[in-house]
């Protein structure tokens, strides 16, 4: 695996010097300041590349910008409204500019309105550190009593509605505002933070878009951009829904293995691939992560390795982000499948035989508790995750184990 690290750009409190010390080999970044739908120009791309190539004292860092996360797909494209064709043209131009700069892997997602969604961004753990958590009852409380979404009650069983009501009325005003802030946190690193009114307005736009229609829009988008990406030698990789089940009555179409198979078959190009995010997919008990890697591995272009602990049976329940090796995803089995796929690629002579992975999220521990960072992106917690994941890969690729080089 190629060990990479997500960097949010010059304002990130984890600097390039820190990334070098984490042992990461490459950088994952995005031009968060460019409004969604606009072209990423060659100049802006080069500026970010230069920032990644330098330590704080100006000497070479030895690091390169290896993966884009994300080149965002606009709401106009997802809804096929307004200037969506112009946005697709801009997307293709951005891809061409990235290819020209030598960047080959581009992650994005097709989740309507909200990207990742949690109810608690700093849930206290036994050891004093914190992690992110999704609480199904709090989320129902947000939907029913803060957002007051039309007909929301039909999405929740009576027992959940009652518990949510009790819990919500016992919450202080500031706890209610924190919950609203957390749920609407949107994209990490993005300039936009959605207000409740924004969310309501966005939701209303999806009244006439069901999953079938959203999938059609997704395929239309891929039919336009995947051939361009293939010609340019780029690998697009779609990030799964996080969490992988419907929220706020919005359609969710990239939550399971079957969803990915459907989309990858519909536009059957190696440039149309997957970001395997073990933490997102792992929040559902019916997603078998090692099996997904074994079956879809040749189209997995990027790996987000993190773990989750599901707190309830079934789909749609509470979960929290656990330690990288300790949760419901069998991380050792998953990494074994990654190494098997890499061995197959080496045999086939594929140049992308080291799949970029990044330690996704991490617990806020030690010094992290004193510095500001994007929720889920602490320096020390991620470093701990990377160290553990790297250890597993190293052990599994030992000659005595027989899975080949890392
Ligand atoms: C959250 C991230 C996501 C991811 C996008 C990719 O921490 O994994 O926001 O970057 O969904 O498009």
């Amino acid at each position: 695996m190629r060990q990479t690290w997500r960097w949010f750009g010059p304002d990130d409190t984890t600097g390039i010097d820190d990334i070098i010390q984490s042992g990461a080999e490459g950088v994952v970044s995005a031009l968060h300041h460019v409004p969604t739908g606009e072209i990423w120009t060659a100049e802006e791309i080069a500026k970010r590349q230069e920032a990644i190539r330098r330590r704080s004292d100006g000497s070479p860092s030895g690091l390169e910008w290896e993966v884009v996360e994300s080149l965002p797909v606009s709401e106009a494209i997802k809804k096929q409204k307004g200037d969506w064709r112009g946005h697709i043209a801009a997307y293709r131009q951005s891809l061409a500019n990235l290819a020209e700069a030598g960047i080959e892997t581009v992650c994005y997602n097709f989740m309507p309105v909200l990207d990742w969604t949690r109810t608690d961004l700093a849930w206290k753990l036994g050891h004093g550190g914190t992690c992110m958590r999704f609480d199904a009852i709090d989320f129902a409380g947000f939907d029913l009593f803060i957002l007051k979404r039309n007909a929301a009650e039909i999405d929740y069983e009576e027992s959940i509605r009652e518990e949510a009501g009790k819990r919500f009325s016992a919450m202080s005003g500031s706890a209610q505002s924190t919950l609203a802030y957390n749920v609407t946190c949107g994209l990490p690193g993005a300039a936009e933070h959605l207000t409740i009114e924004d969310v309501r307005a966005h939701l209303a736009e999806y009244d006439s878009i069901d999953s079938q229609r959203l999938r059609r829009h997704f395929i239309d988008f891929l039919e336009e951009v995947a051939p361009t990406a293939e010609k340019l030698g780029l690998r697009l990789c779609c990030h799964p829904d996080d969490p992988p089940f419907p929220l706020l009555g919005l359609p969710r179409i990239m939550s399971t293995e079957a969803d990915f198979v459907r989309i990858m078959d519909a536009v059957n190009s190696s440039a149309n691939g997957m970001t395997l995010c073990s933490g997102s997919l792992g929040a559902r008990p019916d997603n078998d992560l090692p099996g997904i890697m074994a079956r879809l591995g040749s189209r997995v272009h990027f790996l987000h390795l993190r773990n989750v602990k599901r707190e309830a049976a079934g789909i749609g329940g509470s979960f929290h982000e656990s330690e990288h090796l300790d949760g419901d995803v069998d991380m050792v089995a998953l990494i074994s499948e990654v190494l098997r796929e890499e061995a197959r690629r080496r045999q086939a002579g594929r140049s992308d035989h080291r799949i970029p992975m990044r330690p996704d999220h991490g617990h806020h521990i030690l010094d992290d508790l004193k510095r500001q960072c994007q929720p889920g992106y602490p320096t020390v917690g991620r470093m701990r995750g990377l160290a553990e994941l790297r250890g597993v890969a190293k052990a599994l690729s030992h000659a005595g184990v027989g899975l080949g080089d890392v």
Side-chain angles (χ1 to χ4, degrees), residues 323-375:
E323 287 168 10
H324 286 76
L325 301 186
D326 185 23
D328 288 314
V329 175
D330 184 341
M331 196 58 82
V332 175
L334 172 57
I335 293 177
S336 308
E337 290 305 338
V338 172
L339 298 181
R340 285 198 183 93
E341 171 58 25
E342 292 189 327
R344 284 192 289 274
R345 290 185 186 192
R346 272 196 303 277
Q347 245 173 15
R350 273 174 68 166
S351 62
D352 62 343
H353 61 80
R354 283 187 78 199
I355 306 175
M357 75 85 161
R358 64 173 182 81
D360 195 19
H361 301 184
H363 289 176
H364 293 236
I365 51 173
L366 307 173
D367 205 41
D368 299 329
L369 299 166
K370 287 180 246 149
R371 45 169 144 173
Q372 282 290 325
C373 67
Q374 299 288 340

Side-chain angles (χ1 to χ4, degrees), residues 31 40-53 65 97-98 101 103:
L31 302 181
W40 287 15
T41 62
E43 294 71 36
E44 285 299 314
I45 294 169
K47 232 200 278 169
R48 178 58 53 88
Q49 284 181 305
E50 258 320 290
I52 290 169
R53 289 180 183 138
W65 183 4
N97 294 345
L98 287 164
I103 300 169

